[in-house]
Amino acid sequence: MTTISLPIRPKTRSAFDDLGFAATIDALVAQTQQLYLADGVPWVVGYSGGKDSTATLQIVWLALKGLEPEQRTKPVHVISTDTLVENPVVAAWVSHSLEVMAKAAETDHLPITPHRLTPAVADTFWVNLIGRGYPAPRPKFRWCTNRLKIKPSNAFILETVRSHGEAILVLGTRKAESSGRHARMSALESRRVRDLLSPNESLPNTLVYSPVENWSNDDVWTFLMQSTNAWGYSNKELLTMYQGASADGECPLVVDSSTPSCGSSRFGCWTCTLVEQDKSMAAMIQNDEEKEWMLPLLELRNALDVADDRHLRDFRRMNGSVQLFHDRPIPGPYKQSAREDWLRRLLEAQVWIRENGPDYVRSLELVTLAELEEIRRIWVVDKHEFEDRLPGLYQAVVGEPYPGRALDEHLPLGPDMIESLQQVVGEDRLHFEMVRELLDIEQRHRSQVRRAGLFESLEKALRRGFYDDEEDATLRAQKRKTAMDRSEQDTELGDPDPLDIADGYVRAVSEPAS
C-alpha cells in the first residue's frame, strides 16, 4: 500500500496571538479612547451592517462607554448608505439596527448619532436606468457607484468638514480583504499624522482611522462571537445571515489555511451587473425556503445582465450623435419600449412579492413614488414622450390609480392625436420621434415672450431624427469620419463645412440638385 504524505500548513497568524484575545481588545479600546480624547474633531463611522463595520463600531462603542460622561465631548456620527437597491434582507437588517442603535446610545448617554443616507432622487438606480435609459452598469461604464454610494456619504462628510474644519473617518477596512486594499493602505501609512490617522485620498481635511486594519477574516468573527453586541443587536444573527449567503450554507471549523472561513460573502445591490452572478442572493434562496420570495429580484437582475443588449438600445448616443466602433454604432440609451418594459417588470416583481412574500415584505417598495415622479418627468419633459404612459402602465400592473401628482405640463397632443400620428408614420419610428419632438418644442416655446433657443432646439431635433434607419445612420457616420480626416487646408474659405456635406445637411457646390 502506498503512503501519501500530506503537507501540514501553518495556522494563519491572528491579531490575538501576541497578547491574547482579551488583552488585544483592551489595548485596542484604550487606543481608540486616546484618539477620541486627543482633539475636538468629530468622528464619522462608516457602517454597512456587515461584519467589518459592525466590529469597528463595536470597538468605538466600547471605547466611549469606558470614558467618563464628561469626557464624551465630541459627536460620533454613524453613517449608513442605503442605495435603495440593496439586498432587501440586508437593508431591513441595517435599518432596524440603526433604530436599535439610536435608542441604545440615548440609554447609555453616548454622543453617537446614526444616519441613514440615500442618494438624491435624480441619482437613484431606477431613475437613471428606467428614466434616462442608462444601460445596466458594466466595468467600462460604472455609472452607479458614485451616484448611489459615494456622493451621499461624501456630501455628509464634506458638510461635517465645513462645520468643524476637519473630520475623522473611522472605517472597517482591512488589509487582508484584498491585495489591492493591502497595497493602498500600506502606501498611506507612510503619510500618517497624529499616530494612527491616515489622510483620505479624495476628501480634503479628512483623516482615516482603521482600528481593525490588521485583523484577518477569522479575527473579525472571533471578536463578534466572543463579544456581546454593544448596542444590543445580535451578532449571531449576523453570522446566520452570512451563513445563509454562502453557497454551501455552512461555517466550517477553521483548522488550516486551506479551510474557507465563514463570512466571506459580500452583500451588495441586488441589481448589480458588475459581477457575473449574485451569489449571495442565489445562496439565500437556495438555503432558506422563506427567502424564495426574492426569486423575482434575481430573475430581473439576470434579465438586466445580458451579453448583447443592442436590440434594447438606441443606435444613437444620449445626445443624438452616432459614434462608430469597428464600423458599428456604439449603442446608446435604452429605447422607450425597453424602458417601459423594465418599469413593468419592476412593478410586477413588487406586486408579486407583496402578494406572495412573508409578512415583513408585504409593504416592500422596490421603487419609490419620488422615483416614479422623476422618471415620469424625464420621459415627458426631457425625452419629449408626451404620451405620458407611466400612469397607465402603473395602473395596469398594480391595479390601482397612479398616486402621483398631476403633471405640470401642457401636452401638445392628446391620446387621439398621438394615435393618428402613429398611423400616419406607420412603422417609421424615427419619423414619429422626430415629429413628436418638434411638436413638443414648438408647444414649449409658444407661450414665451422671447423664444430664445427655439431654432437651436429645432435643429437638434432634426439632426437627431434625420436618418432613415440605423443603416443610413451608419453610412453617414462613416462618411463623416472620412470628412473629418480631411485636413483644414483642403477646405477653401467660404466652402460648406465638409461635416455638413457628409451628414447630408447641405450639398457641395459642384453637386447637382436632384
Side-chain angles (χ1 to χ4, degrees), residues 288 331 335 351 359 417:
D288 189 349
K335 300 175 184 176
V351 169
D359 291 340
M417 291 297 292

Side-chain angles (χ1 to χ4, degrees), residues 57-165:
L57 178 56
Q58 200 158 309
I59 293 292
V60 172
W61 198 290
L62 292 173
L64 292 180
K65 198 169 182 179
L67 295 174
E68 296 298 326
E70 59 271 15
Q71 293 178 299
R72 306 166 189 163
T73 56
K74 66 181 184 182
V76 174
H77 300 285
V78 178
I79 60 172
S80 180
T81 302
D82 184 351
T83 63
L84 302 181
V85 284
E86 298 290 326
N87 180 305
V89 174
V90 180
W93 165 272
V94 175
S95 180
H96 186 237
S97 177
L98 294 175
E99 295 173 5
V100 173
M101 194 184 301
K103 294 178 181 177
E106 184 177 358
T107 301
D108 291 345
H109 304 289
L110 301 179
I112 295 177
T113 307
H115 305 267
R116 175 179 172 269
L117 309 180
T118 57
V121 173
D123 288 333
T124 68
F125 184 86
W126 296 120
V127 165
N128 281 283
L129 188 138
I130 296 177
R132 295 187 175 90
Y134 284 10
R138 291 292 185 271
K140 291 185 178 180
F141 188 40
R142 193 170 182 157
W143 54 264
C144 53
T145 305
N146 184 62
R147 288 177 171 85
L148 304 185
K149 295 184 177 181
I150 297 175
K151 285 178 69 174
S153 58
N154 281 7
F156 184 94
I157 295 165
L158 291 173
E159 181 57 36
T160 303
V161 170
R162 277 193 291 269
S163 301
H164 298 85

